[in-house]
Structure formats: C-alpha cells, structure tokens
Amino acid sequence: MNYEVGILGGGLAGLSLSIRLAEAGLSVALFEKQDYPFHRMCGEYLSLESLPYIKRLGVDPFAHGAQRIDELVLSAPSGRSLSQMLPLGGFGLSRYCLDSLLAERAKSLGVKLFTKTQVLDITSSEQHRHLIHTHNQGEVVVALAIGTHGKRSNIDAKLKRQFYSKNTPYMAVKHHIRIQNFPSNQIALHNFKDGYCGFSRVEDGLYCLCYLTTRQNQKAFKTIKNMEQNLLSQNPFLKQIFEEAEFVWDKPIVINEISFEKKTLHENSVLMCGDAVGMITPLCGNGMSMALHGSMLLADLLLAEQAQAGRVVFSHQLAQNYEKIWNKHFAMRLRVGRSIQRFFGSEKLSDYLVRFFSRTPMLGRQLIQLTHGEAF
Ligand SMILES: Cc1cc2nc3c(=O)[nH]c(=O)nc-3n(C[C@H](O)[C@H](O)[C@H](O)COP(=O)(O)OP(=O)(O)OC[C@H]3O[C@@H](n4cnc5c(N)ncnc54)[C@H](O)[C@@H]3O)c2cc1C
C-alpha cells in the first residue's frame, strides 16, 4: 500500500488536510484509531473565524443544527458575573457531528480512511519513504507523513517528544445535557476553585458542559460526581445546572495529562499540525479554529510545493516555511492564552477579572481579540 501522503489522526486538523490534498488529486491515507461518529473531549464552541473554511471544505454546519452564539457570560466562584457580546462570536455543533461530516466528505473525495486503526510507530526506511506501522493493517508506505494526532498520543512517545515525559496537573470532563430555559446564544465560562467550566448549546436541543480542573481536585473529592456536587456547585450558576440538568450519557468523557506547552513543528521528518504542535487553553474557545487554520496553511504550502516540484516530500526548506507562517499566526495567541489561564480557577483573581471587565468591557473585547484571528 503506497500513498503520497499519510495523515496520522482524524480530528479537525487531519480531516481538513486530507480533504484539501485529495481535492488536488494527491493519494492520501488517513489513520484514525476510533470509528466515526464518536464523541471526544471538546467544549464544542467554534469561533466564526473558521466558518468560511469549513464551508469551503464542503460542510455547512448550519444545515446540521449548529447554534449561533454571540454572547459571553463569565462568572466567578462567588457567583459574581458579567455578560458581554462577543466581537465575532461563533457557533455550537458537536464534534460527533462535525468530524463525521468531514470524514464523509474526505471519503467521497477518495481519501483512504483507515478507521479503528491505531498507528503504533513511524519509521523512515529511506529518504522520502515512511513506514506507518499499524495495529491491524500491517505497514503502509507513504512519501510524506503528517502528525495530526492531537494533544497527546502514543505517537509522541514513539517520537520521543520532550513534552511527553513531563506530567501536567490538568484533567478535563465533558457531559452532554438537556436543560430547560437556558438561552441558546450564550457561551458561559463559570469558574470554580482550580478550574473553569464551559457551557453552550449544540444541535438537537443539547448543551455541552465541559470543564478543566486539576487531578488534585478529583483526588480530594474522590469521584467526579462528588466533585461536581461539592466543589463545582459552589458556583451558583453551576449548582443550578447540576441540579436541573438531565445527563444524556451514562458516564462523562474524562481525560488526563493535558499540556499547553508549545511543541515542535516537525520530528524525524514528520510534519505536525493541530494540537500536535501546541494547544491553546480551552478557555479561549479557539483550539478548533487554530487546528483548522494551521491545517489550511500547511495545505497551501504543500500544494504550492506540489505545483512547483511535482511531488510533496519533507524538506528543511518546507519545514522552515511552515514554522515561519505558523509562528506568525499562532505564537502570540498561545502566549496570551497561557498568561490569562492563571486568572481562571483562582477564586480571588477570577472575581477581580469579572469586576474589572464589567467596568471596562472594551478591554475584555480586546483580550478576546488577542486570542482569536481574522476569518479565514
Ligand atoms: C477540555 C477542553 C475543551 C475544549 N473546548 C474547546 C472549544 O470549546 N472550542 C475550541 O475551539 N476548542 C476547544 N478545545 C480544543 C480543541 O478540542 C482542539 O484544539 C482540537 O480538537 C484539535 O484538533 P486536532 O485535529 O489537532 O486534534 P484532535 O481533535 O484531538 O484529533 C486527533 C485525532 O488523532 C487520533 N489519534 C491519536 N493517536 C492516534 C494513533 N496512534 N493512531 C490513530 N489515531 C490516533 C485521535 O483518536 C483523534 O481522533 C478544547 C480542548 C479541551 C481539552
């Protein structure tokens, strides 16, 4: 099995890249360890900056129940809160829906989707020849390999990426819920001690409730349920949600070891894209747009290379060009995201932030703009 490009991971970065490359006639294999459709960790609020690109990829989120969101509600653990119109706004659509629509589109363009296929390793047997070792498809040969395997994967361990060996304190939990009498145009960010919780509408009358906290918190409260009832519910907004909501899944999705470090853009001649390069803190609500935008920039570079040289392979020049353009668009956003993260989850600081931005809404809007980009 030989392909011009092998894409390792089928989230937004991998799927969108595969669509662009297949549209241009390249033979593309995409490896995804899960099977579409599936639920994954994500707050499911997507900034409007990426809507033109998603449509260009052949998917219209609003034809599948996406909900327009234009107002931010921010609350401190004490219940002090502010609401503010968002400069650009966004929409809510589950990843269950969005990713599977993109996967269908990729398949219709001839992308070979290896689903339920975990990549175990990537080796280079000779120049411009990568062997992708899988758990159930043997070895697949590709000329160019691209890592779109998300924030943390066994692939990072195999490639001995530095961040992988460092423990992080963060964990995340996600529910889908039904609840009456909540507006559908709001994204809420409710703080609690050592954590914050995003809450917004997706399709089919559902809401996504997704929070980031520390493993220490979970250890102290022993179970997720106990932590939600006794810690998150100290915030009156969250208390109301946990008391009134109908939880749709038997169990929430839970993940550990979330790292916000910037990572390398390539490793052993494998180019990286999406969260595999670096993840912005979820409170910015912009990771999905960054994954899509980064993938668009990489697709443009690869297609220019294809037009000029008649093939796409790894080269140091290509890697340098990618690094330059990636840093230009995203380095600042990651830095700002990391800096403001410390205000969230702290009872005093988040209370201060709510009071400060209530008095100076203009500054709040400017801060949001610093972590977002132009429509693309
Ligand atoms: C708690 C939390 C809340 C968030 N909320 C938001 C939000 O509201 N809005 C927003 O814009 N962003 C949000 N984000 C960020 C957003 O989810 C990510 O930035 C985005 O999903 C990155 O896309 P990706 O394609 O790079 O990675 P992913 O979507 O993670 O996709 C990676 C894929 O690779 C697959 N994979 C991994 N290893 C292998 C392997 N060895 N073999 C085969 N397949 C493999 C995985 O199964 C996965 O499908 C949030 C993140 C977190 C943690």
Side-chain angles (χ1 to χ4, degrees), residues 189-224:
L189 209 50
H190 297 305
N191 282 268
F192 56 94
K193 185 179 169 295
D194 296 332
Y196 53 85
C197 176
F199 177 65
S200 54
R201 247 309 269 277
V202 290
E203 72 278 12
D204 295 337
L206 293 169
Y207 287 78
C208 177
L209 183 136
C210 183
Y211 58 90
L212 188 84
T213 186
T214 58
R215 274 199 306 279
Q216 193 58 36
N217 259 350
Q218 197 208 337
K219 228 169 142 185
F221 286 88
K222 299 214 165 44
T223 65
I224 300 275

Side-chain angles (χ1 to χ4, degrees), residues 8-14 31-34 38 40-46 95 99 117-120 148-151 153-155 172 210-212 255 258 273-276 279 282 285-289 291:
L8 320 178
L12 293 183
F31 303 85
E32 170 53 53
K33 65 183 178 189
Q34 306 226 46
F38 61 95
R40 63 165 89 237
M41 181 57 69
C42 185
E44 302 181 329
Y45 164 81
L46 193 44
R95 295 293 298 272
D99 291 36
T117 301
Q118 186 178 25
V119 173
L120 301 176
T148 51
H149 47 270
K151 45 196 154 304
S153 159
N154 62 312
I155 296 172
C210 183
Y211 58 90
L212 188 84
I255 61 166
I258 304 165
C273 188
D275 279 3
M279 188 188 152
N286 206 28
M288 289 192 274
S289 282

Side-chain angles (χ1 to χ4, degrees), residues 264-375:
T264 46
L265 275 111
H266 57 94
E267 206 90 51
N268 291 0
S269 309
V270 177
L271 291 169
M272 303 292 169
C273 188
D275 279 3
V277 179
M279 188 188 152
I280 191 160
T281 55
L283 69 94
C284 299
N286 206 28
M288 289 192 274
S289 282
M290 281 181 51
L292 285 161
H293 196 174
S295 156
M296 181 187 95
L297 298 173
L298 182 56
D300 290 347
L301 279 177
L302 294 177
L303 294 178
E305 182 79 5
Q306 167 77 6
Q308 205 185 6
R311 62 178 191 167
V312 283
V313 291
F314 180 88
S315 72
H316 289 289
Q317 187 60 53
L318 175 70
Q320 263 177 20
N321 293 343
Y322 179 43
E323 189 142 12
K324 209 163 143 189
I325 196 157
W326 195 96
N327 281 328
K328 182 174 157 220
H329 282 89
F330 306 122
M332 168 78 155
R333 286 195 225 180
L334 285 186
R335 272 201 301 275
V336 175
R338 273 195 295 265
S339 312
I340 56 174
Q341 163 113 329
R342 69 179 71 118
F343 280 86
F344 289 80
S346 153
E347 287 166 279
K348 277 199 184 128
L349 284 178
S350 60
D351 201 73
Y352 171 77
L353 203 68
V354 170
R355 269 186 288 144
F356 179 74
F357 286 132
S358 300
R359 276 188 238 121
T360 53
M362 195 61 199
L363 283 181
R365 268 196 289 281
Q366 276 170 1
L367 189 63
I368 294 170
Q369 273 161 344
L370 277 178
T371 58
H372 287 68
E374 301 286 318

Side-chain angles (χ1 to χ4, degrees), residues 34-282:
Q34 306 226 46
D35 197 13
Y36 303 101
F38 61 95
H39 291 287
R40 63 165 89 237
M41 181 57 69
C42 185
E44 302 181 329
Y45 164 81
L46 193 44
S47 159
L48 266 191
E49 69 194 68
S50 54
L51 185 61
Y53 193 59
I54 295 174
K55 285 190 170 167
R56 181 179 159 197
L57 294 170
V59 169
D60 180 359
F62 289 94
H64 297 273
Q67 299 290 313
R68 181 83 172 82
I69 294 171
D70 56 13
E71 188 181 356
L72 169 72
V73 174
L74 182 64
S75 78
S78 62
R80 190 189 293 277
S81 70
L82 69 82
S83 80
Q84 185 168 98
M85 296 314 283
L86 287 160
L88 185 60
F91 61 91
L93 186 68
S94 71
R95 295 293 298 272
Y96 185 87
C97 178
L98 181 59
D99 291 36
S100 62
L101 289 169
L102 290 169
E104 273 169 34
R105 173 81 180 135
K107 204 169 162 191
S108 74
L109 289 165
V111 174
K112 174 67 189 165
L113 286 183
F114 290 99
T115 52
K116 292 199 240 172
T117 301
Q118 186 178 25
V119 173
L120 301 176
D121 199 3
I122 316 153
T123 52
S124 310
S125 57
E126 55 196 71
Q127 228 194 353
H128 311 322
R129 208 177 120 92
H130 293 278
L131 291 182
I132 298 183
H133 305 259
T134 68
H135 90 282
N136 59 359
Q137 300 287 332
E139 288 164 2
V140 179
V141 183
V142 300
L144 176 69
I146 302 174
T148 51
H149 47 270
K151 45 196 154 304
R152 189 178 172 87
S153 159
N154 62 312
I155 296 172
D156 297 311
K158 275 287 170 195
L159 291 172
K160 298 192 171 59
R161 299 184 85 192
Q162 263 191 3
F163 80 92
Y164 193 86
S165 55
K166 295 185 195 161
N167 289 336
T168 82
Y170 298 111
M171 64 173 292
V173 180
K174 167 176 170 173
H175 300 274
H176 270 182
I177 63 172
R178 282 184 205 285
I179 191 159
Q180 302 301 316
N181 304 325
F182 267 78
S184 62
N185 70 322
Q186 288 182 348
I187 165 108
L189 209 50
H190 297 305
N191 282 268
F192 56 94
K193 185 179 169 295
D194 296 332
Y196 53 85
C197 176
F199 177 65
S200 54
R201 247 309 269 277
V202 290
E203 72 278 12
D204 295 337
L206 293 169
Y207 287 78
C208 177
L209 183 136
C210 183
Y211 58 90
L212 188 84
T213 186
T214 58
R215 274 199 306 279
Q216 193 58 36
N217 259 350
Q218 197 208 337
K219 228 169 142 185
F221 286 88
K222 299 214 165 44
T223 65
I224 300 275
K225 197 159 186 185
N226 199 23
M227 180 169 71
E228 289 171 348
Q229 282 173 350
N230 293 301
L231 179 70
L232 277 78
S233 295
Q234 286 175 17
N235 178 319
F237 288 95
L238 290 173
K239 183 175 167 43
Q240 188 192 355
I241 294 170
F242 282 111
E243 280 177 358
E244 294 179 11
E246 174 202 338
F247 289 79
V248 174
W249 302 329
D250 292 342
K251 281 193 293 186
I253 301 176
V254 181
I255 61 166
N256 285 297
E257 296 292 350
I258 304 165
S259 164
F260 300 111
E261 273 191 42
K262 178 160 177 334
K263 303 162 188 164
T264 46
L265 275 111
H266 57 94
E267 206 90 51
N268 291 0
S269 309
V270 177
L271 291 169
M272 303 292 169
C273 188
D275 279 3
V277 179
M279 188 188 152
I280 191 160
T281 55

